[in-house]
């Protein structure tokens, strides 16, 4: 898949599964994600920055193959500009949970979010999981509307944020 926002100076990013050799670029994107949207992810910028490169490399290698968890990136040929992950949960074998969705600010509105989600959806279907679920912090209306445009529906389920007790997340689902 490739993203092409069009217009003068058209940019294109390949959306693909991470590869073991992507560890350094994935670490850079992770730090950007945490700096730009600290409430959206389950670790702090300080914690991620303190983790050794070997930890990032091991995570990227693990998510580069297999059917239990995967990470997809948007690669324009330099720094990564987007990410979406997918994973399973034992209680719902037909479900893929989408996590750590991020698009670099200058690429927002380019269609890249849809391509990242579709990459996870294709992987999910190939693994025999026909449904997607994600969680959004209540009050993050921009993300909520973006996911609605991609066909996600608010299930009415509300859960506590896993690391910030004052926040609540809402669950959204759609077919893969």
């Amino acid at each position: 898949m490739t993203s092409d926002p069009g217009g003068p100076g058209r940019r294109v990013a390949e959306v693909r599964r991470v590869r073991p050799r992507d560890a350094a670029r994935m670490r850079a994107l992770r730090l950007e994600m945490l700096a730009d949207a600290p409430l959206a992810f389950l670790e702090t910028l300080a914690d991620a920055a303190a983790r050794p490169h070997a930890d990032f490399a091991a995570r990227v290698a693990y998510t580069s193959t297999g059917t239990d968890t995967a990470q997809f990136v948007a690669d324009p040929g330099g720094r990564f500009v987007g990410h979406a992950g997918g994973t399973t949960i034992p209680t719902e074998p037909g479900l893929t949970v989408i996590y750590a969705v991020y698009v670099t600010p200058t690429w927002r509105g380019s269609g890249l979010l849809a391509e990242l989600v579709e990459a996870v959806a294709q992987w999910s279907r190939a693994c025999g999981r026909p449904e997607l679920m994600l969680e959004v912090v209540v009050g993050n209306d921009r993300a909520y509307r973006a996911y609605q445009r991609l066909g996600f529906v608010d299930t009415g389920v509300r859960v506590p944020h896993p690391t910030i007790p004052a926040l609540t997340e809402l669950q959204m689902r759609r077919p893969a």
Side-chain angles (χ1 to χ4, degrees):
M1 290 186 198
T2 59
S3 177
D4 183 354
R10 293 165 53 155
R11 302 174 297 171
V12 176
E14 176 190 12
V15 175
R16 62 170 175 80
R17 194 161 182 179
V18 293
R19 300 173 187 140
R21 69 176 179 263
D22 293 332
R25 291 195 294 163
M26 190 58 230
R27 183 176 192 276
L29 181 63
R30 181 68 178 174
L31 297 177
E32 176 187 325
M33 293 163 64
L34 293 166
D36 184 55
L39 298 180
F41 307 105
L42 301 183
E43 72 178 328
T44 67
L45 176 59
D47 288 344
R51 273 196 290 137
H53 177 75
D55 288 359
F56 280 93
R59 176 73 180 164
V60 168
Y62 176 70
T63 60
S64 68
T65 62
T67 60
D68 291 338
T69 189
Q71 290 182 310
F72 296 86
V73 291
D75 182 0
R79 287 181 62 95
F80 290 151
V81 295
H83 175 274
T87 194
T88 59
I89 56 173
T91 56
E92 290 193 58
L95 178 72
T96 292
V97 177
I98 296 180
Y99 68 91
V101 179
Y102 180 76
V103 175
T104 296
T106 58
W107 282 77
R108 292 178 187 158
S110 69
L112 196 54
L113 174 64
E115 290 190 43
L116 287 161
V117 168
E118 182 54 30
V120 176
Q122 286 178 4
W123 170 76
S124 184
R125 290 189 305 267
C127 295
R129 293 185 300 272
E131 188 174 17
L132 302 175
M133 188 269 287
L134 54 79
E135 295 174 344
V136 178
V137 171
V138 171
N140 186 347
D141 296 334
R142 188 185 88 231
Y144 182 81
R145 287 189 305 270
Y147 292 129
Q148 279 186 315
R149 286 190 296 273
L150 297 180
F152 285 89
V153 175
D154 187 339
T155 65
V157 174
R158 301 296 184 265
V159 296
H161 189 281
T163 59
I164 305 170
L167 298 178
T168 301
E169 294 186 316
L170 59 89
Q171 291 184 353
M172 301 180 82
R173 291 182 182 233
R174 74 160 229 208

